């Protein structure tokens, strides 16, 4: 079974995604943004951006990274992407779209952890305070990112324009497939440990 | 923790690896002193009257258009309320991307041998309980004095600190706050110079 639908810009959506399923987001136009929060199978263990970054020595999300939870488990693996930089340092747009989706599942403002802004890039300067500058048009129509659920998840997506973007919001296509098998991409040893623990304990 | 807390202030030393929950009234100034240098101080701020209105690292970063915190940084909540402002800083820059160590993240980063080592999030849960701060209320914190360079190519590392004995950072509360502090016990990376040491908290209000 495959689920597909197109999200317009300035929309939000959420759904359970079972372990092993694969989610592909596709930019429907230039300059797309998809802000994503993820909560794990036990409804408490959330995507933790700092842990994800420091375990994999990266300040951006890119293919071959495992998205890690507050309690050190693998939530999802970035299997592939046509882009090697997805912002995760600047939070969600302050329009509360993600908050409404959280509330639908019984969550609230207390669960507004750091999100990933797929398709967006915020450049990092080499100055004393590490200044940030939004990169307009980083994503082109047709750019994709593919995630594998490594445990049963709740996934929350907002297509609001990035908070630092002056451009109008554009749509993002969502596809969820149920492949019989997926291969792990090349991963750092920390990511391998997170996946192994998750498979041993809950997946 | 031994606390000398009065209606007009606070002067206490937090031992290496220990923590504190401090109530800072609006307008109050809380100074954190790195007594021995290179000591990460993991800190969370909450509106004392509504702990759901809590510090938001990435909203703070976005609104100041810069990764590091220093004098002038406005510490924002998830509702974009100003919780506090950094009003003095002799260290120069502080991290808010690297989060707090936990037993579980130590296992992922360093291996199974670290599973039962003490970690910041244990301290947060222990001292936060008195204010109703539990696992759901824990979020991405500030690491005062910690040096986590983010590079133009999108890399991130933990480096030896820029701090030194006696360096301090001071925040001024914009509303009544809880400051939840873990004096980081991490011994598996250079964030504490491989040797956690005491800090001093000085409050003036």
């Amino acid at each position: 079974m495959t689920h597909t639908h197109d999200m317009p810009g300035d929309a939000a959506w959420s759904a359970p995604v079972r372990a092993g399923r694969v989610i592909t987001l596709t930019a429907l136009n230039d300059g797309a943004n998809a802000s994503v929060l993820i909560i794990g199978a036990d409804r408490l263990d959330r995507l933790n951006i700092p842990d994800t970054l420091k375990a994999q020595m990266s300040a951006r999300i890119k293919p071959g990274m495992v998205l890690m939870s507050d309690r050190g488990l693998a939530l999802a693996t970035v299997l592939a992407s046509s882009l090697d930089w997805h912002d995760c340092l600047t939070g969600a747009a302050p329009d509360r779209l993600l908050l409404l989706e959280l509330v639908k599942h019984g969550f609230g403002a207390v669960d507004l952890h750091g999100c990933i802004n797929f398709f967006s890039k915020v450049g990092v300067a080499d100055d004393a305070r590490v200044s940030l500058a939004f990169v307009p048009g980083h994503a082109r129509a047709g750019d994709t990112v593919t995630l594998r659920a490594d445990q049963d998840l709740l996934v929350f997506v907002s297509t609001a324009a990035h908070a630092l973007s002056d451009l109008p919001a554009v749509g993002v296509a969502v596809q969820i497939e149920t492949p019989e098998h997926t291969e792990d991409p090349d991963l750092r040893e920390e990511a391998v440990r997170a996946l192994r623990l998750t498979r041993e304990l809950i997946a | 923790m031994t606390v000398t807390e009065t209606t007009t202030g606070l002067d206490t030393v937090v031992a290496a690896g220990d923590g504190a929950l401090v109530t800072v009234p609006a307008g109050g100034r809380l100074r954190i002193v790195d007594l021995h240098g290179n000591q990460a101080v993991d800190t969370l701020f909450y509106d004392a009257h509504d702990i759901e209105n809590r510090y938001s690292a990435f909203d703070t970063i976005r609104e100041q258009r810069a990764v590091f915190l220093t004098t002038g940084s406005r510490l924002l909540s998830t509702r974009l309320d100003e919780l506090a402002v950094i009003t003095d800083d002799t260290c120069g820059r502080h991290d808010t991307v690297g989060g707090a160590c936990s037993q579980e993240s130590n296992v992922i980063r360093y291996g199974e041998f670290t599973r039962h080592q003490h970690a910041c999030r244990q301290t947060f849960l222990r001292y936060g309980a008195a204010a109703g701060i539990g696992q759901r209320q824990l979020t991405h914190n500030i690491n005062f004095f910690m040096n986590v360079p983010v590079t133009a190519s999108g890399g991130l590392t933990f480096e030896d600190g820029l701090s030194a004995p006696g360096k301090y950072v001071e925040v001024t509360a914009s509303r009544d706050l809880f400051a939840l502090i873990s004096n980081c016990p991490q011994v598996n990376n250079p964030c504490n110079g491989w040797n956690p040491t005491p800090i001093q908290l000085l409050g003036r209000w």
Side-chain angles (χ1 to χ4, degrees):
Chain A
M1 296 292 288
T2 299
H3 167 83
T4 60
H5 83 278
D6 290 350
M7 296 178 64
D10 276 328
W13 172 80
S14 56
V17 179
R18 298 292 295 273
R21 295 193 186 188
V22 168
I23 316 164
T24 299
L25 302 177
T26 304
L28 292 174
N29 215 327
D30 294 355
N33 178 67
S35 299
V36 170
L37 290 171
I38 301 174
I39 299 178
D42 70 352
R43 297 180 53 82
L44 176 60
D45 204 17
R46 299 165 292 201
L47 171 62
N48 188 306
I49 295 292
D51 285 1
T52 297
L53 297 183
K54 66 190 177 188
Q56 296 170 96
M57 301 293 188
S58 179
R60 58 187 158 126
I61 301 298
K62 57 190 177 181
M65 286 178 74
V66 165
L67 306 181
M68 297 177 185
S69 74
D70 284 330
R71 269 183 276 116
L73 296 177
L75 295 170
T77 301
V78 185
L79 294 181
S81 179
S82 56
L83 296 167
D84 70 353
W85 190 308
H86 299 273
D87 166 56
C88 57
L89 296 181
T90 56
D95 57 20
R96 320 314 273 171
L97 277 172
L98 281 172
L99 179 59
L100 280 179
E101 290 302 309
L102 287 169
V103 171
K104 287 181 189 174
H105 295 267
F107 301 101
V110 70
D111 300 297
L112 280 171
H113 256 15
C115 68
I116 301 169
N117 293 311
F118 284 112
F119 303 120
S120 291
K121 178 175 181 177
V122 179
V124 175
D126 201 12
D127 59 11
R129 293 192 63 194
V130 185
S131 300
L132 297 172
F134 182 75
V135 178
H138 176 57
R140 300 289 175 187
D143 273 324
T144 63
V145 60
T146 300
L147 310 175
R148 179 189 61 206
D150 293 318
Q151 55 173 282
D152 291 349
L153 303 177
L154 289 167
V155 177
F156 304 83
V157 184
S158 161
T159 55
H162 190 281
L164 299 178
S165 172
D166 299 326
L167 303 170
V170 302
V172 170
V174 178
Q175 175 177 280
I176 303 176
E177 299 170 281
T178 313
E180 289 196 6
H181 178 71
T182 52
E183 292 288 335
D184 290 343
D186 284 339
L187 298 166
R188 288 178 60 99
E189 65 175 299
E190 296 90 340
V192 171
R193 268 200 289 275
L195 274 175
R196 189 179 68 236
L197 271 170
T198 306
R199 288 165 178 161
E200 287 170 1
L201 292 170
I202 61 170
Chain B
M1 187 183 71
T2 311
V3 183
T4 306
E5 194 167 5
T6 68
T7 53
T8 56
L10 166 79
D11 182 353
T12 188
V13 170
V14 179
D18 201 359
L21 177 71
V22 178
T23 305
V24 185
R29 291 174 291 150
L30 178 66
R31 180 177 293 197
I32 304 172
V33 185
D34 186 2
L35 292 173
H36 298 269
N38 278 1
Q39 176 57 42
V41 182
D42 293 48
T43 304
L44 285 165
F45 293 105
Y46 299 82
D47 182 332
H49 304 290
D50 178 6
I51 60 170
E52 285 204 5
N53 199 24
R54 56 164 170 72
Y55 176 68
S56 175
F58 297 119
D59 288 314
T60 295
I61 286 174
R62 182 188 67 243
E63 293 303 312
Q64 70 169 14
R65 310 285 199 276
V67 171
F68 294 133
L69 304 178
T70 186
T71 304
S73 287
R74 300 169 63 233
L75 309 181
L76 303 181
S77 75
T78 45
R79 290 183 202 143
L80 303 183
D81 291 328
E82 182 184 286
L83 297 177
V85 178
I86 298 179
T87 44
D88 202 355
D89 176 15
T90 61
C91 176
R93 68 187 210 192
H94 308 268
D95 167 74
T96 192
V97 170
C101 61
S102 70
Q103 293 180 309
E104 294 81 4
S105 70
N106 282 342
V107 169
I108 298 302
R109 295 172 72 195
Y110 309 111
E112 280 291 341
F113 72 97
T114 62
R115 183 176 296 279
H116 298 288
Q117 292 179 358
H118 186 54
C120 281
R121 275 182 256 176
Q122 305 291 108
T123 302
F124 280 155
L125 290 172
R126 178 177 165 209
Y127 283 97
I133 295 163
Q135 177 66 26
R136 275 185 85 194
Q137 286 74 30
L138 290 193
T139 182
H140 319 312
N141 54 287
I142 298 169
N143 293 302
F144 287 119
F145 308 114
M146 196 164 89
N147 184 23
V148 182
V150 172
T151 66
S153 60
L156 176 146
T157 54
F158 279 54
E159 305 271 330
D160 216 357
L162 301 168
S163 189
K167 299 269 189 185
Y168 63 83
V169 62
E170 186 176 273
V171 297
T172 300
S174 305
R175 55 183 64 208
D176 296 346
L177 293 183
F178 291 132
L180 180 58
I181 291 169
S182 168
N183 189 13
C184 182
Q186 181 65 265
V187 291
N188 299 291
N189 73 44
C191 70
N192 301 317
W194 312 98
N195 177 34
T197 50
I199 57 166
Q200 184 179 23
L201 303 179
L202 290 169
R204 294 288 177 268
W205 42 77

